[in-house]
Amino acid sequence: MDEHSVKPKHPTGAVMVVGGGIAGIQSSLDLAEAGYKVYLVENKSAIGGHMAQLDKTFPTNDCAMCIVSPKLVDCGRHHNIELLTDSEVVGIQGEAGDFTARVRIHPRYIDLDKCTGCGDCATVCPVIVPIGIGPHFDEGLAEQRAAYKLYPQAVPNAFAIEKLGIAPCRDACPAGQRAQGYIALIREGRYEDALRVIKEDNPFPGICGRICNHRCETACNRGKLDEAVNIRALKRFVTDKVYAQPRVSPEPAQRKYEQRVAVIGAGPCGLTAAQDLCKLGYGVTAFEALPVGGGMLRVGVPEYRLPSEIVDREVQDIVDLGVELRLSTTVDNLDDVFAEGFEAVLIAVGAHEGIRLPIPGADMEGVLINTTFLRDVRLDNPPELGDRVAVIGAGDVAMDVARTAIRMGSEVHVYYRRTREEATAGEEEMRHAEEEGVVFHWQVNPVEVIGGNGRMSGLKCVRTEQGLPDETGRRRPVRVPGSEHFVPCDNVIFSVGQRAGLAFIPESAGVGVTDQATIAINPNTLAATRPGVFAAGDATTGTSFVIEAVEAGHRAADSIHRYLQGEELEPPPKPELPVVELTQAEIGKRVELGQVHVQPRVPMDELPAEERTSTFEEVVAGYTDEQAQAEAARCLACGICSECLSCVYECQADAINHDMVEQVGDLSVGAVVLAPGYEGYQAEQSGEYGWGRYPNVVTALQFERLLNASGPTHGHVQRPSDGKTPRRIAFIQCVGSRDQTHDYCSSFCCMYATKEGIMSIEHEPDTEVTIFMMDMRAFSKGYLEYYRRAQERYGIRYVRCRISSVKENPQTHDLVLRYVAEQGNKGAEEQESHSPFAIRHSPIREEEFDLVVLSVGVEIPERTRELGRRLGVEVDEYGFCRTQPFEPLQTSKPGIFAVGPFREPKDIPESVVEASGAAAAAGKVLSSARWTCTEEIVYPPERDVTAEEPRVGVFVCHCGSNIGGYLDVPEVAEYAASLPGVVHAEHNLYTCSQDSIQHITEQTKALGLNRVVVASCTPLTHEPLFQDSIRQAGLNPGMFQMANIRNQCSWVHPDQWDEATEKSKDLVRMAVAKALRLEPLRKTEVPVQKTALVIGGGVAGMTAALALAEQGFPVHLVERTERLGGQLQNVHHIVDYGSEPGNGQGKLVWRDPQVFLQGLIERVKSHSQITLHLESEYLESSGFAGNFTSRLRTPDGESQATTTVAVRHGATVVATGGVEYKGSEYGYGTDPRIVTQQEFEALLASQRVSESANQGGGERRGEDLPDSVTMILCVGPAEWYCSRICCTTAIKNALVLKRANPQAQITVLYNDIRTYGFKERLYKEARRQGVIFVHYDFDRKPTVEIGDSGLEIAVWESSLGQELVLNPDLLVLSMPVVPSDGADRLATRLKVPLDLDGFFLEAHVKLRPVDFASDGLFLAGTAHYPKFMDEAIVQAQAAAARATTILGQDVLQVGGIVAQVDAEKCVACLTCVRICPYDVPQVQARFDGVGGIAGAAYIEPAQCHGCGSCVAECPAKAIQLLRYRDVQVEAEIAALLEPQPVGV
Amino acid sequence: MTEQSNNGFEPEITVFTCIYCAYMAIDTAGALRIKYPANVKLIKLPCTGKTDTRYLLEAFEQGADGVCIVGCPIGNCHHVHGNERGLARVKYTKKLLDEIGLGGDRLEMYFVSGGMGDTFANAMREMTERVQELGPNPLKSEL
């Protein structure tokens, strides 16, 4: 509470607002305007929240985007609001006035300063984001790419990249191949791009696509579902596809460094390094002993597995970059290499020396070695083979040897000393060998080669068995005694391993060699022991796989680069992203939701085994396009962004940075406003409704997107199952509200369902809409009227029942609902109550619908609960923030405020009100620090150009390819240069990029431009930016004009190059014509009278007055009566159904508002800044926002008479409240036993059933309390508008009575029970305590008779189908709240409008709920609409915050685009006075009109809104609108339509 | 032109639009890449309430074959009733056009909200087709 809060002495004048939905935006704007620095922390990549997703808003059916978009732009451009998107708060320290908040900013991977929002990245992004991951603006109904902008109007206007981490395939690959990336590109048929991605990490895609040992596939998450994606085959597919086209050699790399590098060995490792170094800009020479490049790939792998042409081509690609390849050149001596001028040497000679087993006879003729044998075959010099060949060994090379020998016509036997399971060859390789006729002999070991005359004739072998494990963990093969046997054969080929040939390295070379005959290196840097010498690949590791050689090659190149640049050799540590391991459950959920289907890999065609043995043709055929795309579609896109770099290549602004990392920073703030919003209930948790299983069951938010013209179906509502237009649509209400697991009402679902129903009928007039609901909660301004219109004009059918489940007709995908339609049925839980009106057996109805919409309720996501924990703010068991009853926005932690649905479910206007209210609450803490943390933009002094000849500069934008790709931008610029008045025209890649903005400023100065035209995108978002740039050059912002050649031209005429180019010229010509006639827009500064006038001394008026006074503004508080307090004086109990922190058990918590009210009155009376005017009346005002003078009629201190005083003030708050209606309905006034709810409350209070009873146990019965009470809700005017508070008040009073007299019989006759939000808990509690609720319809209202036996009330109970008669002791009528007496008179005096029910009408129901349309006037409390005390308090704070945006300024800028009267032409006909929607023009005698006759119209520039209605209507043409003068508009018309100027 | 041609006559359509819902709808049509004829060209006014009969006539005089005014939906005008005033003037101007023989059908007013890019594009196609039927602005030959 206030009394306890101490104002900090030196607070920080900055506020952190958490949550960028409409509430967060409003709070930020109000705070920034009031003089505080704002940090707006949003966890998504753009602000806008749920509102941006909506199609229309009720009850005005405004387009949500139309009304929110200007606020987004204001917020994004406000120089004192810093947007922190992709951010979250991780903790907070300190206290009110002086907090340090720690914020984590997640990487966006796109530089906000460089991104221009052109969207080229998203166009090329191949990754489709799986539904359920990341933000899906279209609620999963439209495909979203990993590079995305949340929505077209998003602020900031920039793209973002969704990246979860590294896909396991990439992680498993030694070379880090971005498999997910090229797979996605293959799925899209973009094979060239796919190859480009592969080549980013691997220069040998064709090779690896055939012979890689594909560890990626072992790691593939898809393997957890069915089978890993066939990644290797896809890689091969791509190379086959691209290599089938004529080869285009790559551009030679630019030489950047003088230094030269020698690479010894042109195998995969050496060539990879050579390529990298060449691309880095070094001179590279590769020395190769063989006559061909490619190393082992070229000479060690048989043709049938890896065709030579593939190897040759991939080697040639590297050579073409500029690598010198010296073939058949053996390096004998490292010193010679250095002597030739090379500054670094990489030894990558591989392991080409086969090993001859050290057994007797191993050097006989006919004994061959694997590497030599294969090389000779590949180099067309095959050895003679006999009929029968023995291959020793069972590794991959042995398989190559065996299968090569088969193809040479021999019978081939493989001998291996271990078991098949222990063989190191790939399973597929062995299978292929077997198919081709290779005979395997397991656990057989040769011990001698037998022969004569130096020529072998066979092998002596032994059989082995498994012995004890050796050092490798494998079991040692042990000779079986007596198993010697002879195997006849003509040749034996040893294939038992390879090693590097290091003969060229003598000991004197200074390069160390290990015991394993490999080169000794530092494994981190690959540096050998001699400086400048590096070694990599098989020569350092022994034989391994191609992909490892590639990886080593990359690392070697990096290392050599660092060496040559004199940098530290150890590579710098790189931030590692997590590897995305999907769990079985996560994959299972995707299957369940139908996003993934179980489907094994697409098989590849193979050459039949019998054909293979006679040919060296490739065995495996590769995929067709269709097969490859189908296989690629199986990818789960684990990492989301795959870093395929398509965006990097495409982005011409160089804005993409995949190496971004998260950042953590601290913010110093004085207060925090929490507006984290809500999330829709996850409908799959209510499995009975079939969401996620039945395609035609959608959530309301999904339906909203279907209705939206910018949504996935362009606003044509289509069924997800078949795209048909649904004719019968059912809405099921209260999904995730008012149920077993949610004891609250979500407050706005009734209205949005009604709105969506109306909109679907507006779209397709023959749509039938049925809404299944329990109550219609239409409790706010205009809602009941909206509900009525839905029924009467649109024929929407409302059925009162609770739907228990939805069934689908599997053939048609139609949906079947079964229900018991009962009038007055209060839902399932009611049936268990002790109601005497229990439901009887009623026929169950069954109905079929095309589409079912689930009206899902509000939930607080885990993320937000976590936020509460991090900030130490108490939340309840549902995650809603606990706030203080009499300070409704104050959380459990001083200085931290909560607004919007985070407090309690609520709709947009209430969230906006709270957002403004929080700005006032924060302002109270921080007022002494106003303007201390803000910055002011300083512009150079303005140059007076009025006397100059026009000098127009035209800047035409390419917008990346967005404009430049569809029309001839240079030609448009050239044309612009030829136009009269134009002294300069140019074209820019992105005119809005930071450097271009600066460039415009510089050009304006340098060329002395006095008018600037930019031809680019939309002025709605970009005009202020460009205006700013010319202001920086000393030009008035009015001297700027824009031509929208993107949204209005290139984007909508993409296939019409010539026409689009011509149209752009037309638009530029028009803009230039207008520019020639532009004039500076002058604003004048009006000093602000920093005082407020508050009309009305109830709780709203007092709260507003205090909120302003406590910020240091003097306040005049005017109250008509002799005492403060207003209607709150009549409220004696306030009750909540609350649970204590840490205790899930709920209970009723009673509070006495009178204690609070007395405190409030005392504070108002004693506040030095508040001047109280009791028994006073507001009479009239003159002036405008910031500068009003008002007259008040007030008692004369001395006499009985009244006097008039004038007060000067800058803003006005209207808080005149309302009163209880007292009509004659239901016999009111004819019998003392018929009372109003307020009278009943007073009666209950007079019986003092308050404090003692509250302690429980000692309940004391009031003596005059009735034993039976009947209440009738919705009396009189409440039939036309919902008075909002009556249901809850009736239930509260019922509970008060029950507490005093538990035996009391209470029956409530109602039309709808509108206990919205947490008030639902009171309703439930009342039912639990036995209060009986009976529904009635307005066309069959209850009747009241006063008979001899007392009151007799009859009501038609429709579920029973009979009339009930009640004889209570007391009849209580819930009379609605009506506007205070004289509200209409006050409205006239203030020149503000009333609504149809007599309440004051705000500027906009949704987004300007406390503003009047006229500037400087605000409203709060019941004067606006009936509301509860806490709502009135918040609204009063909001009105104070809005007033502060004026009072906080020293001066107001007025003028700009306003209408001006030329008095000499004015005939004072009053047309403008009549037409102006804002009542601004006045005919004033001080001006002389036509003919010098006194009296001409005057339009106050501070009040004019610049719409121009009066200008168009003025019969004398005496009014002109600045910037839209007739001469200006007519010049545009003429220029647009004039024929092309001759000679252009 | 890839649009259906009518004897090769591609009518010049001049559109006056407010800077609120209508301008946003036109932007949206662009953002969603919804095509419409390239001869549709726009002039921005602060509100359709600013639509002056003189501007409409001027456009025809300068050779426009058709003229459209696009504003916020009735009831959603950002300046309360500006679009209704605009509509009143369009109706009046149509009458004038009928009287002088140019034909009121060459002039039309549309109401769109910010998301209705599709609706705007449809309206422009519809207007183009209508004016194709009507033929070129006869004043053009006198220019």
Side-chain angles (χ1 to χ4, degrees), chain A residues 837-1035:
Chain A
F837 314 113
I839 306 303
R840 290 183 181 166
H841 296 293
S842 305
I844 290 174
R845 295 191 56 189
E846 205 173 270
E847 230 179 306
E848 231 172 63
F849 293 91
D850 300 332
L851 189 74
V852 166
V853 183
L854 304 180
S855 292
V856 290
V858 166
E859 279 202 336
I860 300 301
E862 178 48 38
R863 179 182 75 238
T864 305
R865 294 175 194 224
E866 177 61 29
L867 173 71
R869 281 192 285 273
R870 286 172 179 175
L871 297 186
V873 162
E874 279 171 21
V875 298
D876 71 8
E877 64 271 33
Y878 294 98
F880 292 105
C881 187
R882 290 180 199 277
T883 50
Q884 315 296 318
F886 299 106
E887 233 181 319
L889 305 177
Q890 177 63 59
T891 67
S892 60
K893 194 159 175 171
I896 302 184
F897 306 94
V899 302
F902 182 37
R903 287 186 54 223
E904 186 174 351
K906 57 177 60 72
D907 63 7
I908 294 169
E910 285 163 41
S911 300
V912 171
V913 168
E914 291 191 354
S916 292
K924 197 171 90 181
V925 184
L926 307 179
S927 58
S928 62
R930 186 179 291 128
W931 304 116
T932 56
C933 292
T934 49
E935 283 168 33
E936 217 172 319
I937 308 174
V938 184
Y939 295 102
E942 214 171 280
R943 199 174 94 207
D944 183 7
V945 300
T946 41
E948 295 176 11
E949 280 293 302
R951 291 179 62 80
V952 184
V954 181
F955 298 82
V956 188
C957 184
H958 284 263
C959 196
S961 63
N962 277 286
I963 298 172
Y966 304 98
L967 56 89
D968 194 333
V969 168
E971 192 182 314
V972 175
E974 199 182 315
Y975 172 79
S978 74
L979 292 169
V982 176
V983 295
H984 174 74
E986 62 174 271
H987 50 99
N988 319 90
L989 186 55
Y990 296 103
T991 312
C992 63
S993 66
Q994 280 190 336
D995 50 339
S996 298
I997 287 288
Q998 217 170 344
H999 174 70
I1000 293 176
T1001 309
E1002 285 157 10
Q1003 290 286 63
T1004 305
K1005 283 194 223 165
L1007 303 170
L1009 305 179
N1010 51 26
R1011 282 144 178 84
V1012 169
V1013 171
V1014 170
S1016 61
C1017 53
T1018 172
L1020 293 192
T1021 55
H1022 281 65
E1023 195 167 57
L1025 186 70
F1026 296 125
Q1027 285 180 321
D1028 221 55
S1029 75
I1030 68 163
R1031 282 185 82 179
Q1032 292 293 359
L1035 271 191

Side-chain angles (χ1 to χ4, degrees), chain A residues 1461-1502:
Chain A
V1461 183
D1462 179 354
E1464 287 178 14
K1465 290 184 182 168
C1466 179
V1467 296
C1469 67
L1470 299 178
T1471 302
C1472 54
V1473 176
R1474 207 180 62 243
I1475 278 231
C1476 177
Y1478 305 100
D1479 288 329
V1480 179
Q1482 291 173 340
V1483 171
Q1484 294 190 352
R1486 62 189 169 119
F1487 299 107
D1488 289 342
V1490 166
I1493 300 168
Y1498 170 71
I1499 295 173
E1500 169 55 51

Side-chain angles (χ1 to χ4, degrees), chain A residues 62 66 709 716 1018-1019 1044 1047-1048 1052-1053 1055-1056 1059 1063 1066 1070 1475 1478 1507 1513 1517 1524 1526 1530, chain B residues 1 23 27 30 33-36 38 40-42 50 52 54-55 59 76 78-79 85 89 114-115 118:
Chain A
D62 271 311
C66 288
H716 305 290
T1018 172
N1044 187 346
N1047 297 51
Q1048 291 176 15
V1052 288
H1053 317 306
D1055 329 311
Q1056 297 174 267
E1059 288 85 347
K1063 176 170 172 179
D1066 292 345
M1070 178 170 85
I1475 278 231
Y1478 305 100
C1507 70
E1513 206 82 8
K1517 291 282 164 226
Y1524 294 95
D1526 288 339
E1530 282 162 11
Chain B
M1 284 290 265
Y23 202 90
D27 275 353
R33 316 291 201 271
I34 305 169
K35 297 178 200 172
Y36 53 85
V40 172
K41 290 158 203 169
L42 282 96
K50 176 73 165 68
D52 200 313
R54 223 161 100 181
Y55 301 165
N76 291 155
H78 285 60
H79 290 296
R85 311 252 29 122
R89 284 182 217 120
D118 216 14

Side-chain angles (χ1 to χ4, degrees), chain A residues 4 237 261 595 816 907 959 1035 1153 1384 1485:
Chain A
H4 310 299
F237 164 79
V261 182
Q595 299 166 10
V816 183
D907 63 7
C959 196
L1035 271 191
D1384 47 351

Side-chain angles (χ1 to χ4, degrees), chain A residues 350-544:
Chain A
H352 283 248
E353 274 186 14
I355 294 168
R356 195 181 290 263
L357 274 187
I359 55 173
D363 51 359
M364 271 194 266
E365 192 187 337
V367 178
L368 302 170
I369 306 294
N370 53 359
T371 50
T372 325
F373 167 71
L374 289 171
R375 179 169 67 215
D376 290 345
V377 174
R378 291 301 306 263
L379 294 177
D380 275 342
N381 181 26
E384 286 284 318
L385 287 189
D387 293 340
R388 203 179 143 107
V389 173
V391 175
I392 314 300
D396 283 314
V397 180
M399 295 308 110
D400 288 345
V401 169
R403 296 175 66 193
T404 300
I406 282 270
R407 282 165 174 76
M408 292 167 73
S410 304
E411 176 188 329
V412 179
H413 294 258
V414 169
Y415 298 89
Y416 185 49
R417 60 190 180 134
R418 298 176 190 263
T419 61
R420 176 178 176 129
E421 289 66 40
E422 291 167 291
T424 55
E427 182 54 41
E428 193 189 19
E429 286 294 303
M430 289 198 284
R431 179 175 62 79
H432 280 151
E434 277 168 335
E435 284 169 3
E436 290 163 16
V438 174
V439 183
F440 285 85
H441 304 269
W442 305 109
Q443 295 185 297
V444 175
N445 199 23
V447 289
E448 189 180 348
V449 182
I450 308 290
N453 299 330
R455 163 85 216 178
M456 67 165 291
S457 59
L459 284 173
K460 185 166 139 195
C461 295
V462 295
R463 267 196 290 283
T464 66
E465 60 186 9
Q466 291 183 314
L468 295 168
D470 62 11
E471 65 279 4
T472 67
R474 294 193 298 179
R475 293 173 70 174
R476 194 187 301 274
V478 179
R479 177 189 293 216
V480 176
S483 65
E484 287 89 352
H485 57 283
F486 177 73
V487 174
C489 56
D490 304 307
N491 294 93
V492 60
I493 308 177
F494 287 123
S495 187
V496 292
Q498 298 89 250
R499 61 179 164 225
L502 302 177
F504 68 99
I505 306 178
E507 280 192 27
S508 61
V511 175
V513 176
T514 68
D515 295 347
Q516 279 80 38
T518 60
I519 299 170
I521 49 162
N522 173 336
N524 290 338
T525 63
L526 303 179
T529 51
R530 176 171 172 174
V533 177
F534 296 80
D538 286 1
T540 63
T541 57
T543 51
S544 60

